[in-house]
Amino acid sequence: MKNRNLTNRAYHDVRNRILSFQLLPGAKVSDKDIAQQMGISRSPVRQALFRLAEQGLLQTRPNKGFVVKVYSPEELQDLFVFREAMEVKAIDLAVKKLTNWDIDRLGRQVDTYLVSIGKNDIRKLNQMDRAIHATLMKLGGNRFMIEYFNSLCDRIQISFPQLRYTEADLRIIHEEHKQIVAHIIQRDAKKVKTALSAHIRIGLEEKLRAFRNV
């Protein structure tokens, strides 16, 4: 039990470092260094790193040990295709059973995103954007899709530490979210799926453009 708790501690510590860009794509992750920093043995740290590798946040390289995963443009496109398929299916599952409370919750999230744009905290806005899409997934009610979606979002998130948005870009994203919610209010699954697919594909193109400009 103690070793499991230490492994979980190490897992969450390293995962947080990766998702907050303290460890960038390609960065070496040393089990020895992390164990020393945390004051624990290397064994639970290595177990945590293998777990993160299974989830696509780390990868192993010959003679280099663990490094933060670097995704190719082709892999990123595949991730977004998978994401679009899951979110569109979630809408199919959710749209006919949504309550007014569900819709109000989505609307509040979208409104909060708009209010936060002027603060120009990209990390916070990314978290809020992810929360909106996570809510759509949860409303679909398929727990396996939700689990895969969270892992998918982690992989996408770590791939773009260099991404920057202007206030105009962020307002466009808000309008896209707002349009999706408007179609949800109308219970128009076809329009929701069309707007959602367009939103995801535009996001992919923007991210790939930033990726190529590095």
Side-chain angles (χ1 to χ4, degrees):
M1 180 65 72
K2 181 180 179 181
N3 194 61
R4 183 184 300 174
N5 290 338
L6 291 175
T7 298
N8 285 336
R9 275 183 56 205
Y11 166 81
H12 288 293
D13 180 83
V14 178
R15 180 177 178 271
N16 288 337
R17 295 190 204 188
I18 295 170
L19 293 179
S20 63
F21 302 123
Q22 295 175 54
L23 293 169
L24 295 173
K28 180 176 174 58
V29 181
S30 166
D31 59 316
K32 179 181 178 181
D33 291 346
I34 292 169
Q36 288 178 342
Q37 292 164 12
M38 296 185 66
I40 62 178
S41 68
R42 294 173 69 175
S43 178
V45 174
R46 286 188 64 80
Q47 291 177 38
L49 298 186
F50 277 117
R51 181 177 167 190
L52 289 163
E54 289 175 356
Q55 295 177 351
L57 296 184
L58 295 178
Q59 61 187 133
T60 57
R61 289 182 176 174
N63 304 318
K64 288 189 176 181
F66 294 93
V67 297
V68 179
K69 171 73 176 177
V70 179
Y71 283 94
S72 69
E74 292 76 21
E75 287 175 317
L76 290 170
Q77 287 180 313
D78 287 345
L79 288 174
F80 270 83
V81 168
F82 188 27
R83 174 186 171 182
E84 181 183 349
M86 282 200 298
E87 290 202 50
V88 167
K89 183 59 181 177
I91 287 296
D92 261 340
L93 295 171
V95 122
K96 293 181 180 179
K97 62 180 182 181
L98 289 174
T99 66
N100 289 334
W101 187 89
D102 294 327
I103 294 171
D104 287 344
R105 179 186 176 189
L106 271 171
R108 288 194 300 272
Q109 286 179 309
V110 171
D111 289 343
T112 302
Y113 184 93
L114 175 61
V115 171
S116 299
I117 287 175
K119 298 178 182 178
N120 200 30
D121 185 342
I122 297 300
R123 185 180 300 174
K124 180 66 174 177
L125 286 163
N126 282 340
Q127 291 173 347
M128 294 170 68
D129 177 89
R130 177 168 171 170
I132 291 169
H133 289 270
T135 296
L136 291 174
M137 290 299 302
K138 289 175 183 176
L139 293 175
N142 186 304
R143 62 189 179 89
F144 293 108
M145 288 173 62
I146 293 168
E147 179 182 338
Y148 279 109
F149 178 78
N150 288 329
S151 175
L152 188 67
C153 286
D154 284 351
R155 299 180 189 207
I156 291 172
Q157 181 173 328
I158 69 170
S159 299
F160 303 100
Q162 77 287 349
L163 196 61
R164 297 291 182 271
Y165 288 109
T166 66
E167 183 171 329
D169 294 330
L170 295 170
R171 290 189 179 278
I172 289 172
I173 292 171
H174 166 70
E175 287 300 322
E176 291 170 358
H177 287 155
K178 188 176 176 181
Q179 191 64 52
I180 291 167
V181 173
H183 294 319
I184 288 174
I185 291 172
Q186 298 168 355
R187 301 295 201 282
D188 192 329
K190 184 177 180 179
K191 287 185 178 179
V192 176
K193 290 188 287 186
T194 298
L196 182 59
S197 290
H199 171 65
I200 292 171
R201 291 175 186 179
I202 290 169
L204 170 61
E205 288 305 314
E206 290 173 345
K207 288 176 171 62
L208 288 178
R209 188 160 50 247
F211 190 91
R212 288 189 291 265
N213 290 334
V214 174

